[in-house]
Amino acid sequence: QVQLVESGGGLVQAGGSLRLSCAASGRTFSGYAMAWFRQAPGKEREFVAVITRSGVSTAYADSAKGRFTISRDNAKNTVYLQMNSLKPEDTAVYYCAAGARAVVYPEYDYWGQGTQVTVSS
């Protein structure tokens, strides 16, 4: 079992920045690929970013490219999502996820409870 706890969400004006964190406990953190997804009201959960177990490789949704950066610190069992140049359409609940493979689909074994990000115009 892996427990994931997100933090760092909040209310920010358009153009601002937020840094989300996801702290993991339980089984070996470095053994999992980590991803961020988000879900806006009335919409399906969508992929945002993923990072491989070692942190060497990352991938982003088109909507996140150039603005968001995913990173991880295996010594701290934490994955981060730095979000810059935020837009109102980034408003959603953001979830971190852990799984065996770094994929862009929500086929992950473990999920956090989510953290709300609200971007005002």
Side-chain angles (χ1 to χ4, degrees):
Q1 286 286 343
V2 175
Q3 292 78 42
L4 303 174
V5 179
E6 302 97 335
S7 61
L11 174 64
V12 64
Q13 289 188 332
S17 297
L18 282 175
R19 188 195 196 199
L20 305 184
S21 298
C22 174
S25 60
R27 302 187 68 176
T28 306
F29 176 73
S30 60
Y32 292 93
M34 299 296 298
W36 287 94
F37 287 78
R38 67 186 184 186
Q39 188 166 18
K43 295 187 177 181
E44 294 185 353
R45 190 167 297 190
E46 65 174 3
F47 167 76
V48 176
V50 63
I51 188 166
T52 55
R53 301 174 189 182
S54 65
V56 170
S57 297
T58 59
Y60 297 89
D62 288 344
S63 60
K65 287 178 182 176
R67 300 188 300 127
F68 295 2
T69 302
I70 188 171
S71 61
R72 67 189 297 163
D73 185 337
N74 286 345
K76 295 183 177 179
N77 289 356
T78 303
V79 63
Y80 305 97
L81 185 68
Q82 177 67 45
M83 304 187 296
N84 299 327
S85 302
L86 283 162
K87 305 174 182 180
E89 51 263 45
D90 293 319
T91 295
V93 177
Y94 283 71
Y95 299 89
C96 70
R101 299 191 305 143
V103 296
V104 302
Y105 305 103
E107 297 173 353
Y108 285 78
D109 299 313
Y110 305 102
W111 293 84
Q113 82 290 348
T115 185
Q116 176 70 47
V117 172
T118 302
V119 184
S120 64
S121 57

